[in-house]
Amino acid sequence: MSGSQRISERTLYIASLVIAALFLVNIYYQLHVAPGWQWGPALDKMPKTMLTDFRDEVYTNAKGGWAAGEYIASDAKFDKALFPEFVDGAQVKSELLQPLVGDGRTVVAIHKLTDAGIEKTVVDVYHIGPRGGRIDSIQRYVSQE
Amino acid sequence: MSKEITYSWNLATAVKILLTLGRLYLGGWMLTSGTSYWLTQAGLPTIFPQPVGNTPLSSQMLVTMIEVGLFDIVKTLEIVCGLMLIFNRFVPLGLVIAMPISAVVWYNAIVLNGRYDRLFSPTYMGVMCFYLSIVLMLAYLRFYAPLLTWKAKMGGLGDVKELIKAAKTEA
C-alpha cells in the first residue's frame, strides 16, 4: 500500500487507549493468573512481617498446625521432630529475647520456648522462598543450658 | 473538530507504530507494577506478590528499599509515569522518570540475580523495560538535546513561565 492517507487524531488516540487497555489485560493475566499463585496469608508480606504473623498464629493463637500449612512450603526443609508447636492446640509459648533479625529473606528469631513447663533458649533461622513468600527452610538451634 | 493527520505506509510509519506500542506497553507495565504495590499497602487483594529477590544481595536491596519507605516513592512514580506514557501526556518527562526505575530493575534482574542468560529475553520485562526506556528516549531525543548545552547560563524566576508555556504546547 502506498500514497498519503488521512486519519483523525482523535481516532488514533482512542485506538491507542484501546490497545493500552488490551496490554493492561495481558499484563494482568501474565502477573496474576498465569503464575498460578497459591494465595494465602503468607503471601505478599515482608519477611519479618510474615514471621511476626506466623509466630502470632503458632504461639499466641495455638494454631500451629494451620499456620504450618499456610506459611511453610510443602517441600520445606526442617526437622519436624524439633517443632512440637506445629500442631493445633499445642500449648507452647514463645518470648522473643530480642527483636526479629532480618537480612533479605532470612529472618532469625532468638526466643525462650516454654513447652510443658520446660524453658529452653532457642534460635530459629527461617528462610523464605523467592516468590510466593512461604518458609522454605527452618534451622533450629537449642541452647545446652 | 479533531485534527487530521496525513500519513503513508512506509518504514517510518511502521517504526512509529512500533514505538507507540512500546510506549503503551511500558506504560501499562509501570502502571500495573505501581498499582499492585499500593493495593497491598492499602490491604486490598494484590495483582502479584511483591518479589523480594532470588539471591541474598537482591533480597537485601528490595527488602531494605521497602522497609525504609523508598518503594513508596518508586511505586508512586511508576504509576505517574505509567499514566503519562499511556495517555501520551508529558511523555519525555515520563521517560525521564521511567529510566532510573528501569535501570535499577535491570541491575537487580541481571547483576544481583545473576540472570545473564536472560539479558536479551524479549519476554522478560526485568530487562525489556530498561531497553524500551532507552529506545523511547532516543525517539524523543529532540526534547533532551538542550540538556547537552555546552555552556549553560542560569535563568531567572521568569523561566517558570516557560514551564507553563511548554505544558500547553504540542510538539
Side-chain angles (χ1 to χ4, degrees), chain A residues 1 3-10 13 16 23-24 26-27 31-32 37 39 44 46 103 105 130-131, chain B residues 2-9 21 24 29 32 40 46-50 52-54 59-60 66 87:
Chain A
M1 244 181 358
S4 289
Q5 298 180 50
R6 294 166 75 84
I7 187 168
S8 90
E9 198 174 60
R10 184 178 297 161
Y13 190 60
S16 76
F23 279 163
L24 279 169
N26 174 260
I27 293 165
L31 295 175
H32 187 80
W37 303 111
W39 296 98
D44 207 29
M46 286 298 94
D103 185 6
R105 287 185 286 122
R131 297 200 77 166
Chain B
S2 171
K3 274 196 295 188
E4 292 276 311
I5 295 169
T6 304
Y7 69 97
S8 52
W9 285 109
L21 293 175
L24 294 171
W29 186 269
T32 308
T40 300
T46 186
I47 297 169
F48 61 96
Q50 174 61 46
V52 284
N54 289 309
S59 297
Q60 281 170 3
I66 293 167
F87 288 101

Side-chain angles (χ1 to χ4, degrees), chain A residues 10-68:
Chain A
R10 184 178 297 161
T11 305
L12 262 184
Y13 190 60
I14 291 169
S16 76
L17 293 183
V18 170
I19 291 168
L22 292 173
F23 279 163
L24 279 169
V25 170
N26 174 260
I27 293 165
Y28 181 86
Y29 174 81
Q30 297 294 337
L31 295 175
H32 187 80
V33 182
W37 303 111
Q38 300 294 310
W39 296 98
L43 259 71
D44 207 29
K45 290 177 180 168
M46 286 298 94
K48 278 195 284 184
T49 307
M50 193 267 254
L51 245 296
T52 302
D53 292 352
F54 175 66
R55 284 176 46 79
D56 280 347
E57 297 294 353
V58 174
Y59 301 112
T60 308
N61 302 332
K63 290 163 69 179
W66 176 83

Side-chain angles (χ1 to χ4, degrees), chain B residues 26-55:
Chain B
L26 183 62
W29 186 269
M30 289 284 176
L31 183 62
T32 308
S33 176
T35 304
S36 184
Y37 174 80
W38 280 113
L39 284 172
T40 300
Q41 298 301 307
L44 296 167
T46 186
I47 297 169
F48 61 96
Q50 174 61 46
V52 284
N54 289 309
T55 63

Side-chain angles (χ1 to χ4, degrees), chain A residues 88-107:
Chain A
D88 287 337
Q91 293 302 312
V92 179
K93 294 295 168 195
S94 165
E95 180 192 342
L96 280 177
L97 298 176
Q98 60 174 280
L100 292 173
V101 181
D103 185 6
R105 287 185 286 122
T106 301
V107 180

Side-chain angles (χ1 to χ4, degrees), chain B residues 73-153:
Chain B
I73 299 169
V74 171
K75 295 297 171 179
T76 303
L77 288 175
E78 281 185 356
I79 292 173
V80 170
C81 78
L83 291 172
M84 286 173 166
L85 297 182
I86 288 173
F87 288 101
N88 199 21
R89 298 290 183 263
F90 306 112
V91 171
L93 175 62
L95 291 171
V96 166
I97 295 170
M99 173 54 80
I101 297 171
S102 308
V104 174
V105 169
W106 182 93
Y107 185 82
N108 176 58
I110 297 300
V111 180
L112 296 186
N113 280 297
R115 291 176 178 151
Y116 293 96
D117 56 318
R118 300 187 74 182
L119 196 54
F120 299 107
S121 171
T123 57
Y124 183 36
M125 279 304 281
V127 295
M128 288 314 291
C129 64
F130 183 45
Y131 304 148
L132 271 174
S133 296
I134 293 172
V135 171
L136 286 168
M137 283 187 97
L138 289 173
Y140 288 87
L141 195 59
R142 65 197 171 105
F143 294 96
Y144 307 117
L147 295 174
L148 292 181
T149 303
W150 176 246
K151 288 181 80 175
K153 291 177 185 165

